[in-house]
Amino acid sequence: MSATAFDLLLVLALLWSGLRAMTVPDLFRAVVTFIVFGLLIALAWARLDAPDVALADAAVGAGLAGALLLDTVGHLRAKQGRPPS
Amino acid sequence: MTATARALVVATSVALGLALCWAMLQLPAPSIDLRTHVEARLDLAGVAHPVTAVLLNFRAYDTLLEIAVLQLALFGVLSLCGAAPLAGRRVAARPEPLLQSTAGALAPLVVLVAVYLLWAGARQAGGAFQAGAVLASGAVLLFLAGLMPPWQDPGAPLRFALVAGFLLFLLVATLPLPRAQLLRYPPHAATALITAIEAGLTGSVALILSGLFLWLPDENEEAEQ
């Protein structure tokens, strides 16, 4: 029962963070929401009994991809003349 | 993007997502039980973990091609950067002492976790790619804290270390060529070969993934040149 409730919460959080990452107008907030989405995906992999994939996805999807996207946001803001936040 | 076009894209994506969910629920049960087949031959594989055995022994060709694809991605990034040193690019704007001391204290722990993941991959969840990704994350952390400069103009040792993992894997793959076979490990040497391949892959994957971040050019300075 508690496992099903946790899985349901996880699915709702995944859908919500995915939608927010795409619809929020501020790019920095979108990237941070994307990192959260990556961590929740790693949690979903762990719930599916795939720890190797969870480790790799957490490191690459949430860690490196998030860092690359944050760098991109900083470059975009510097190009537009605004100071990178 | 106009509001109607955006609404159309959102509606199409939601419909596709729902269709995928419905298709996933309609899938029949798999006809072969892969887990029992793999675990029946696990003693021939040389490692004790079924996932590592599949990735590095039974389906090693896929892993070899995956490393080749990573190499190609890095070559694409290198071709964008060129060899001209860009002075002072992307140094940390405000080096913060708390971040620097924390990153400096975390760096040996990151190496320890990566080595543990590499060693544990033979028995439980872990492996070369996870260890390499953790090492790359540590390198990115050090760069963002201002403790490591960005990479400019890669020298010969760095270039060799980038491709060393793939070359080692290729060498092991072509060893049985005199017997007209490719990528077959003799069962008595499987553990040693897999350990060597995994160590090489860890180093190369760590360098490639951190290079994807540390070699990105600064567009503003390139536009001014």
Side-chain angles (χ1 to χ4, degrees):
Chain A
M1 171 56 197
S2 61
T4 315
F6 180 73
D7 288 341
L8 199 58
L9 263 178
L10 190 59
V11 166
L12 288 175
L14 276 174
L15 288 172
W16 176 243
S17 57
L19 279 172
R20 284 291 291 175
M22 283 190 300
T23 56
V24 69
D26 186 18
L27 271 183
F28 178 71
R29 278 193 201 172
V31 170
V32 172
T33 314
F34 174 76
I35 297 176
V36 170
F37 179 74
L39 289 176
L40 289 174
I41 285 273
L43 207 55
W45 284 123
R47 277 297 294 151
L48 288 169
D49 282 330
D52 307 74
V53 188
L55 282 171
D57 203 359
V60 174
L64 282 173
L68 276 174
L69 284 175
L70 282 176
D71 204 31
T72 311
V73 168
H75 277 292
L76 282 177
R77 289 202 175 155
K79 250 189 179 175
Q80 289 167 2
R82 284 185 291 165
S85 70
Chain B
M1 214 179 192
T2 62
T4 43
R6 183 176 298 170
L8 193 61
V9 167
V10 168
T12 312
S13 309
V14 169
L16 183 64
L18 288 176
L20 281 175
C21 290
W22 176 84
M24 279 290 293
L25 292 171
Q26 297 285 321
L27 278 178
S31 52
I32 51 169
D33 191 5
L34 204 54
R35 201 175 184 103
T36 49
H37 282 271
V38 168
E39 286 182 355
R41 286 157 183 76
L42 205 53
D43 48 352
L44 291 174
V47 289
H49 189 52
V51 173
T52 310
V54 168
L55 276 180
L56 283 174
N57 197 336
F58 302 143
R59 303 289 301 211
Y61 192 48
D62 298 354
T63 311
L64 180 65
L65 291 182
E66 171 189 311
I67 298 300
V69 165
L70 276 180
Q71 299 277 350
L72 286 177
L74 187 69
F75 293 161
V77 171
L78 280 181
S79 68
L80 280 178
C81 294
L86 301 171
R89 102 185 127 89
R90 283 174 64 221
V91 186
R94 298 181 301 266
E96 302 172 19
L98 180 62
L99 182 59
Q100 284 188 340
S101 56
T102 310
L106 277 181
L109 290 177
V110 166
V111 174
L112 184 66
V113 167
V115 171
Y116 172 72
L117 280 177
L118 173 63
W119 171 82
R123 271 158 289 276
Q124 57 205 39
F129 191 73
Q130 287 84 350
V134 167
L135 275 178
S137 309
V140 168
L141 180 67
L142 282 180
F143 167 70
L144 290 176
L147 292 174
M148 197 164 78
W151 294 353
Q152 309 167 353
D153 197 10
L158 186 55
R159 287 181 193 268
F160 179 68
L162 278 173
V163 297
F166 176 63
L167 285 180
L168 178 66
F169 206 161
L170 205 57
L171 181 71
V172 171
T174 50
L175 273 180
L177 261 183
R179 293 195 299 274
Q181 287 174 340
L182 277 180
L183 206 60
R184 294 211 185 251
Y185 314 139
H188 59 270
T191 309
L193 285 173
I194 289 181
T195 311
I197 290 176
E198 281 210 305
L201 282 183
T202 303
S204 277
V205 163
L207 284 175
I208 290 172
L209 288 180
S210 44
L212 287 176
F213 190 86
L214 294 171
W215 259 322
L216 288 180
D218 190 88
E219 302 102 48
N220 298 330
E221 292 187 5
E222 276 199 356
E224 287 166 12
Q225 283 174 359

